[in-house]
Amino acid sequence: MAIDWQPFIDVVHSAERFVISSHVRPDADAIGSALGLAGILESLGKTVRIINPSHTPDHLGFMDPEKRIQKIKADVSIESACDTDVHVIVDTSAWQQLQDVGLVLQQTSARKVVIDHHVSSDDLGALEFKDTSASATGVLITELAEAMNISVTKEEADALFCAVATDTGWYRFSNSDARTYRTAARLIDAGVEPHVLYQQLYERSSLARLKLQSVVLGRVELAHKAQLTHTFVTRKDFSETGAHPTDTEGLVNSGLAIDGVLASFILVEQIDGRVKASLRSREPVDVATIAEKFGGGGHKQASGAMLAGPVNEACARLLKEFERAFENGNAS
Ligand code: 5GP
Ligand code: MN
């Protein structure tokens, strides 16, 4: 369902200074949507800052060649971030995902806006432009440009294409609908060369990542009548392989590639001992509901949560919730 952008356009025309933020551990949809929106607003002569709760991970640095994305507290103070007319949050509606940017939202007197496609949602006190049927926030930003009659530059189109590409697993997950492909076509018309971006996103791996993959895949276990797979990564695995936390991205999907498997999760031990869970599923299994039981959220087929450690206990708690979901004929 297309969003009615008029209330957002009214906000844009009534303000001069914008801050755009996204979620912790930003992915390409978070970064690309922020950069795309910044370009749209700047083409209208607005002043725009992008201030995120985390640094941009190294492997996505190519999306922001001018290094314009700032990190709250490291590059810009909370007070400074509060000093704006409008604060736009893209690709999340959850306080937990905003960390120190949440403090800004609580203190600022700026108008707040959310542009998002996640099912899970908190009340951020913002004007919401939310479409949970959109495969990526990048789709929404591309549609906003179209609604405003603004042509995106090649750089912005590249960022938006990466946003949509990664949230759809390079246009192959079940969320890759006609609207997704129409968005891709528009961005290609704006100058995107998909093969160049594919290489940037997926063909710059390291030997360390490959070694980590072999450890993690070697540990995959089947559960619940071979319909569920799970695996884990410890802090020791990172130090032994030399891999980075972002090197686990996408690994959870390998568990879903087994015939008959309906859901998969991976647990990643954090520096502070907590455990980040990434959940994936096929219809009809709803993993957003399971993640929400642990204070997390996301989409029906892709969700996440932060659990208390240690890893084996987090695993047992998740397995129990999955059992319950499967027994109930699914968790929706
Ligand atoms: P990932 O497994 O890639 O971290 O996350 C999958 C999806 O779930 C993403 O759309 C992400 O935004 C969402 N997600 C991951 N962790 C959390 C969390 O702790 N809280 C909420 N609300 N969503 C999360
Ligand atoms: Mn997204």
Side-chain angles (χ1 to χ4, degrees):
M1 199 190 64
I3 284 178
D4 172 12
W5 290 106
Q6 196 53 50
F8 181 74
I9 295 168
D10 293 343
V11 169
V12 169
H13 289 316
S14 68
E16 288 309 317
R17 298 173 309 151
F18 292 75
V19 167
I20 303 170
S21 301
S22 192
H23 54 79
V24 285
R25 296 182 301 278
D27 56 10
D29 193 23
I31 291 164
S33 297
L35 288 167
L37 179 60
I40 291 170
L41 295 171
E42 283 168 349
S43 77
L44 298 167
K46 310 294 177 185
T47 305
V48 185
R49 290 181 290 164
I50 304 176
I51 304 173
N52 277 344
S54 313
H55 283 296
T56 299
D58 287 346
H59 71 288
L60 297 178
F62 75 93
M63 292 180 69
D64 180 23
E66 290 165 25
K67 303 210 179 317
R68 62 168 300 174
I69 300 178
Q70 299 177 296
K71 182 183 182 292
I72 192 76
K73 280 188 169 169
D75 305 316
V76 51
S77 68
I78 302 247
E79 295 69 31
S80 165
C82 286
D83 186 21
T84 185
D85 301 329
V86 180
H87 196 140
V88 187
I89 303 293
V90 294
D91 200 39
T92 183
S93 334
W95 284 116
Q96 201 207 4
Q97 296 276 82
L98 291 171
Q99 289 185 356
D100 288 336
V101 167
L103 298 177
V104 177
L105 277 197
Q106 282 161 2
Q107 290 174 31
T108 185
S109 53
R111 190 86 192 265
K112 291 156 208 133
V113 174
V114 165
I115 303 176
D116 186 26
H117 71 131
H118 288 93
V119 178
S120 314
S121 187
D122 291 333
D123 182 2
L124 301 182
L127 190 59
E128 287 199 346
F129 297 87
K130 217 169 143 101
D131 181 355
T132 57
S133 71
S135 56
T137 303
V139 169
L140 301 179
I141 302 294
T142 307
E143 290 175 352
L144 168 67
E146 180 125 314
M148 296 185 82
N149 245 327
I150 291 169
S151 309
V152 296
T153 64
K154 175 176 183 305
E155 289 68 32
E156 290 149 22
D158 280 345
L160 289 166
F161 193 92
C162 289
V164 183
T166 50
D167 265 26
T168 58
W170 197 260
Y171 302 94
R172 78 185 198 281
F173 294 160
S174 58
N175 59 357
S176 309
D177 53 7
R179 184 179 176 192
T180 303
Y181 282 94
R182 271 196 290 275
T183 302
R186 273 185 212 148
L187 296 170
I188 292 168
D189 283 341
V192 168
E193 295 176 281
H195 71 281
V196 174
L197 296 182
Y198 185 89
Q199 194 178 3
Q200 291 280 13
L201 287 168
Y202 302 111
E203 295 177 341
R204 291 187 306 133
S205 200
S206 62
L207 183 61
R209 177 177 150 87
L210 215 59
K211 300 248 184 227
L212 184 78
Q213 271 182 348
S214 91
V215 172
V216 174
L217 296 181
R219 269 183 203 144
V220 170
E221 280 188 46
L222 281 171
H224 197 81
K225 300 173 194 149
Q227 291 180 322
L228 174 65
T229 63
H230 58 96
T231 186
F232 63 93
V233 191
T234 63
R235 284 176 283 188
K236 196 158 159 251
D237 295 327
F238 289 118
S239 57
E240 283 180 358
T241 58
H244 298 286
T246 51
D247 287 330
T248 60
E249 214 172 87
L251 276 181
V252 64
N253 294 302
S254 304
L256 264 192
I258 300 168
D259 193 22
V261 167
L262 290 176
S264 167
F265 69 82
I266 185 171
L267 300 172
V268 183
E269 190 181 30
Q270 307 290 295
I271 294 167
D272 62 8
R274 291 186 302 160
V275 177
K276 169 72 177 54
S278 283
L279 285 53
R280 299 290 184 274
S281 68
R282 294 196 191 293
E283 291 274 8
V285 181
D286 171 3
V287 286
T289 311
I290 296 176
E292 281 168 9
K293 297 223 159 93
F294 297 95
H299 311 278
K300 271 188 170 179
Q301 260 74 63
S303 69
M306 194 67 80
L307 279 70
V311 171
N312 59 341
E313 285 176 23
C315 185
R317 288 200 300 279
L318 258 172
L319 281 172
K320 203 178 272 177
E321 284 305 330
F322 268 101
E323 289 287 330
R324 202 169 288 162
F326 277 109
E327 295 304 319
N328 294 341
N330 178 33
S332 49

